[in-house]
Amino acid sequence: MTRKRRRLYIVSGFMLIFATAAALVLMAFEENIVFFYSPTELARKMEQQPIPPNRRLRIGGLVEEGSLGREKDGVTITFRVTDTVEVINVRFRGFLPDLFREGQGIVAEGSVAADGKFVATEVLAKHDETYMPKEVAEALKEAGQWQGDHE
Amino acid sequence: MESVTEFMSMGGYGGYVWPAFGIVLFVMALLWVASMRGWRNSEKILATLRNSRREREDVAE
Amino acid sequence: MSMHYFANPARFTRLAGRIQPLAGCLAAILLIVGLYLALVQAPADYQQGETVRIMFVHVPSAWMALFCYSFLAVASAVALIWKHPLADLAAKASAPIGAGFTFLALVTGSLWGKPMWGTWWVWDARLTSVLILLFLYLGYMALWQAIEDSQKAAKAAAVLALVGAVNVPIIKFSVDWWNTLHQPASVLRMDGPAIHPSMLWPLLIMALAFKAYFVTLLLARMRMELNLRRIRALRLAERSS
């Protein structure tokens, strides 16, 4: 075999081995790479092992329509996060991102309280990948063709 | 004139939009100037070296 | 093999001398048109309002960050396997350009994330892997500087480039493989672009402008590297004579 061909095989072999090693490492660290759990994923995790009360984690999903409310102290807000299968109740006191509203995707960081509610310390907005002018969005909504995040 | 201030304000997000464009143009310009200068300098040095070499060869004859 | 046609440095220099100014003009024109479309013509987004204009510099920067590294990795492989005389120069020349675009992708991303997401930075898979890309570029450039012998430096740098190449698919698919704050792809996806044409065109023109800019600078830097190589050889010859 020519030296060039040998070099080709060595380099290709090396790449393959390294890619496999990288894949294995990423799979092993999956837990740390995932940025948030959906309500379904969180429910599944809680079934497998109860979550200690001070464990910080993040949940993500859509703010359920009609779920936005305010607690008696007038500052803390409550809402539900859904992935259309499971729901999580969230309590939050702090600044909300500009995009926050019902139907919007969000990611919240916090911990699960004793009463099963998620007490958030930070709420971020997660928007989808569609971009269009306002007029186009309005037209789609009127035609009943809206497939986006929110109403 | 109102539309100019509206344009600058970018719906209230001007403080994010304009620095974003600004830094892009700045870095791209910097890289451009550095690359062109580096290349032109190298042409000059190479030409000087070749000329002095040619001169020495002429003298040696 | 057509690649070896360009192995002749003199031929490369002649060709580069003709293409570089054209690419430069193209880059300037496309950039001006693109900026006008991005800042004035394009409509505000239904959801993100005027901040969407940041997309017109953020996305092309990110595309270039990945494109430059892919170019660098392929050139490194060609240098290692085929020992093409210009391949390692091409890789070395492209690194600062790629590093610059990666930096810009991160900064414009932060400027876009703060108003829209509510934070300047998160350690999700997409953002973290792009930061790693920046470190790879910087490490690659440092390796060239650190090793005295240019042939040894070329080899070491090429190996680093190939090791880091694994990061490219990770970056691209990070938003699909794991839950991330960063949204999935809007253009290069299975169902076609999720961007309205009135915004897609400014984006594509800016992307083309950045590409033409890359070609311009790549050729200038490659010619510089070739000259430096010749200068080193001449000085070495003088010393030994």
Side-chain angles (χ1 to χ4, degrees):
Chain A
M1 120 168 28
T2 65
R3 268 178 298 173
K4 178 183 75 183
R5 183 146 297 185
R6 180 144 36 104
R7 286 196 297 266
L8 180 63
Y9 287 158
I10 291 175
V11 171
S12 310
F14 166 74
M15 295 295 295
L16 202 66
I17 291 172
F18 189 72
T20 310
L24 291 173
V25 168
L26 290 174
M27 283 194 278
F29 282 97
E30 177 105 69
E31 178 94 4
N32 294 324
I33 297 174
V34 163
F35 189 66
F36 62 84
Y37 297 111
S38 67
T40 309
E41 285 162 355
L42 185 66
R44 207 175 300 144
K45 257 185 81 73
M46 295 210 286
E47 266 166 44
Q48 288 173 354
Q49 48 178 159
I51 295 182
N54 288 327
R55 169 88 137 79
R56 299 194 63 76
L57 56 105
R58 288 188 210 94
I59 55 160
L62 302 175
V63 178
E64 199 179 51
E65 300 284 349
S67 69
L68 196 53
R70 212 173 269 275
E71 279 186 357
K72 284 184 218 105
D73 65 3
V75 181
T76 310
I77 64 152
T78 59
F79 55 92
R80 282 191 297 277
V81 173
T82 175
D83 57 359
T84 71
V85 178
E86 291 279 350
V87 175
I88 302 175
N89 282 295
V90 179
R91 195 190 312 144
F92 175 66
R93 183 185 173 141
F95 290 114
L96 289 168
D98 287 358
L99 285 182
F100 184 89
R101 73 211 133 182
E102 286 178 353
Q104 177 67 39
I106 62 112
V107 174
E109 178 170 345
S111 47
V112 182
D115 60 2
K117 270 202 185 179
F118 189 83
V119 179
T121 52
E122 185 184 43
V123 173
L124 302 174
K126 176 178 159 71
H127 59 79
D128 64 8
E129 68 275 26
T130 51
Y131 299 91
M132 68 183 87
K134 211 186 300 174
E135 308 84 57
V136 176
E138 299 293 316
L140 281 174
K141 284 179 197 167
E142 260 164 55
Q145 307 247 333
W146 184 246
Q147 284 173 351
D149 269 350
H150 65 100
E151 273 306 302
Chain B
M1 271 300 108
E2 252 179 32
S3 61
V4 174
T5 32
E6 256 175 53
F7 181 65
M8 291 275 112
S9 143
M10 285 289 169
Y13 292 117
Y16 299 101
V17 175
W18 293 114
F21 278 83
I23 199 167
V24 168
L25 292 175
F26 178 72
V27 170
M28 286 177 77
L30 208 71
L31 196 57
W32 179 287
V33 168
S35 303
M36 291 302 167
R37 229 179 245 178
W39 162 54
R40 293 217 179 91
N41 257 358
S42 69
E43 295 276 346
K44 251 181 255 172
I45 296 174
L46 190 61
T48 313
L49 271 177
R50 281 186 174 148
N51 281 341
S52 65
R53 187 171 224 224
R54 221 168 292 141
E55 276 163 28
R56 250 175 291 121
E57 278 165 16
D58 287 344
V59 170
E61 279 161 18
Chain C
M1 203 182 192
S2 62
M3 160 174 73
H4 291 292
Y5 180 79
F6 296 110
N8 180 334
R11 192 179 284 144
F12 167 78
T13 305
R14 262 199 315 273
L15 204 62
R18 275 184 293 199
I19 295 180
Q20 188 183 315
L22 290 174
C25 282
L26 192 64
I29 294 172
L30 287 173
L31 194 62
I32 292 171
V33 172
L35 285 173
Y36 172 76
L37 291 176
L39 291 168
V40 183
Q41 180 86 321
D45 184 58
Y46 78 101
Q47 184 177 205
Q48 301 189 46
E50 304 286 347
T51 62
V52 81
R53 298 185 194 280
I54 299 181
M55 168 182 63
F56 300 122
V57 285
H58 171 75
V59 172
S61 297
W63 282 350
M64 288 311 295
L66 282 180
F67 171 77
C68 288
Y69 196 91
S70 308
F71 175 87
L72 193 159
V74 168
S76 298
V78 169
L80 278 179
I81 300 171
W82 281 273
K83 301 215 183 283
H84 189 291
L86 293 180
D88 56 356
L89 287 187
K92 184 178 190 198
S94 63
I97 312 173
F101 280 123
T102 310
F103 170 78
L104 287 176
L106 290 169
V107 171
T108 54
S110 282
L111 286 166
W112 195 6
K114 180 59 179 167
M116 289 294 97
W117 291 338
T119 182
W120 298 103
W121 181 262
V122 287
W123 292 101
D124 79 352
R126 168 56 67 84
L127 275 69
T128 306
S129 54
V130 173
L131 185 63
I132 292 176
L133 183 69
L134 182 60
F135 292 151
L136 278 170
Y137 273 119
L138 297 176
Y140 177 87
M141 285 156 55
L143 211 54
W144 268 106
Q145 297 292 97
I147 300 178
E148 287 273 329
D149 183 314
S150 65
Q151 282 193 354
K152 291 209 181 97
K155 200 157 210 170
V159 170
L160 175 63
L162 290 180
V163 167
V166 113
N167 195 26
V168 173
I170 291 175
I171 291 175
K172 168 74 186 153
F173 294 112
S174 55
V175 289
D176 301 318
W177 290 346
W178 301 290
N179 288 339
T180 57
L181 181 61
H182 194 289
Q183 69 280 13
S186 300
V187 180
L188 297 167
R189 59 203 281 273
M190 296 293 276
D191 300 327
I195 305 182
H196 190 263
S198 63
M199 297 178 187
L200 187 58
W201 279 109
L203 178 62
L204 294 178
I205 290 180
M206 286 297 281
L208 228 77
F210 282 21
K211 280 258 162 51
Y213 170 91
F214 167 77
V215 170
T216 314
L217 290 200
L218 177 74
L219 292 176
R221 299 193 75 92
M222 280 182 72
R223 290 163 81 183
M224 176 182 75
E225 295 294 340
L226 257 177
N227 288 345
L228 292 176
R229 197 185 260 180
R230 288 181 189 131
I231 290 169
R232 271 196 301 270
L234 278 175
R235 288 193 172 137
L236 212 65
E238 266 171 39
R239 232 169 282 146
S240 50
S241 64

